[in-house]
Amino acid sequence: MHRRWLHRNVQKQANACWILTPLLLPEMLPKLHPPGVSAQRKTAANENPPTAQSATWLLPGPEGKDQNGCGGKVLHEEHIELLMEEFAFLKREVLGKELLKGSLLFTAGPLEEGQFGFPAFSGISRLTWLVSLFGELSLVSATLEEQKEKQYMKMTVHLETKDKCPLSWIEEKGPGFQRNRYLSFHFKSGSLENRPNVGVNKNIFLKDQDLFVQKLLGQVSEKELAAERKRVLHCLALADAVQRCCRAEK
């Protein structure tokens, strides 16, 4: 199987549902499609794709178009952050431990909100980490500090676990900031500080493509799919709540 880059999100264009997924060679499609499902490859010529090889897959559902005039189904959403070696290490480390408090700070260069969305959405991979590690979270408060003339912004979000343990999520971006994550998790049995050095991530895009193929072939259980869908929707709802909270502060 040839490896190609992935691109995510669902976009509507000309009353079609454009599902941006891993690219597979055309000759592989007959082997991968379930009965009654066909696919078309459409290059994203007008969408400024991240690489020259980006393309979209339109997979019509058996029921035809939905109420929004969209004829496709979302089969997969890329979550590369959950395939990183760093996350695998953290997942092992927190397993079975009772959290007291924690924080996750992400720093990077400036991002234009008009192009990349509100920070709670452009940084949703960090929120996905916290939810995947500690379960569903509730929003306590959120603030956004902006200095647009300096291209600087800092979003501070206070969350709680179901056991009322506090978690802080901070996104800080501006010129000169290095892309990095700073972790601090305190448990009853000890603490985990700073980013673990676990080496280079290997084949995470290929792993994600393999996961997509497994879903296409029906090899992922309904239980797993339901859990993933629940997590994704929970993270999106939290990000939306963070945005509304920050906007209400102004």
Side-chain angles (χ1 to χ4, degrees):
M1 181 178 293
H2 287 237
R3 172 184 173 182
R4 303 285 182 92
W5 287 107
L6 306 173
H7 188 38
R8 62 182 168 207
N9 293 329
V10 177
Q11 300 181 8
K12 289 184 180 178
Q13 183 176 351
N15 294 321
C17 194
W18 300 91
I19 314 302
L20 304 185
T21 57
L23 301 190
L24 307 174
L25 293 179
E27 57 268 25
M28 297 179 62
L29 293 175
K31 302 177 183 179
L32 296 175
H33 292 160
V37 177
S38 61
Q40 289 179 301
R41 175 181 173 180
K42 301 288 185 179
T43 56
N46 300 320
E47 296 299 335
N48 298 316
T51 70
Q53 294 178 332
S54 292
T56 65
W57 289 98
L58 172 61
L59 294 106
E63 300 86 2
K65 293 185 177 180
D66 63 15
Q67 60 183 354
N68 297 315
C70 182
K73 287 187 173 182
V74 181
L75 298 182
H76 181 64
E77 181 180 356
E78 171 196 307
H79 280 289
I80 295 300
E81 70 275 9
L82 299 181
L83 301 175
M84 297 171 64
E85 295 295 329
E86 185 178 349
F87 177 77
F89 171 85
L90 292 174
K91 193 76 173 175
R92 292 192 299 269
E93 285 295 307
V94 306
L95 184 63
K97 294 181 179 179
E98 188 174 345
L99 180 70
L100 298 177
K101 63 178 181 179
S103 65
L104 170 56
L105 164 64
F106 178 76
T107 62
L111 285 182
E112 177 59 46
E113 184 177 330
Q115 292 183 328
F116 295 94
F118 188 79
F121 289 99
S122 61
I124 202 168
S125 62
R126 268 74 69 186
L127 182 58
T128 301
W129 264 26
L130 293 177
V131 169
S132 298
L133 290 172
F134 303 112
E136 292 192 356
L137 305 172
S138 57
L139 176 63
V140 177
S141 65
T143 58
L144 180 65
E145 176 189 350
E146 289 183 291
Q147 299 176 26
K148 292 187 177 181
E149 69 281 0
K150 296 182 179 180
Q151 293 184 297
Y152 172 83
M153 82 89 203
K154 182 178 182 181
M155 182 185 72
T156 303
V157 181
H158 295 289
L159 304 160
E160 275 186 347
T161 67
K162 285 186 175 180
D163 296 325
K164 302 300 182 182
C165 297
L167 279 171
S168 296
W169 168 35
I170 301 170
E171 298 272 317
E172 189 170 17
K173 298 174 183 177
F177 280 77
Q178 296 295 314
R179 185 180 178 87
N180 213 335
R181 282 176 293 274
Y182 302 90
L183 310 170
S184 178
F185 298 133
H186 297 272
F187 307 94
K188 277 192 173 181
S189 58
S191 298
L192 179 62
E193 299 278 355
N194 298 321
R195 181 180 177 183
N197 183 12
V198 292
V200 179
N201 294 306
K202 297 180 180 178
N203 299 324
I204 56 176
F205 286 93
L206 183 58
K207 291 176 182 177
D208 189 76
Q209 178 174 281
D210 289 342
L211 179 57
F212 166 75
V213 172
Q214 290 172 31
K215 290 179 180 179
L216 197 61
L217 293 173
Q219 296 174 351
V220 180
S221 71
E222 285 297 325
K223 183 178 180 180
E224 291 176 290
L225 291 173
E228 180 185 42
R229 188 181 305 113
K230 184 179 180 181
R231 186 200 69 233
V232 168
L233 292 176
H234 177 66
C235 289
L236 288 172
L238 271 179
D240 180 64
V242 168
Q243 180 176 2
R244 286 187 281 108
C245 188
C246 288
R247 293 302 188 215
E249 289 286 324
K250 294 188 174 183

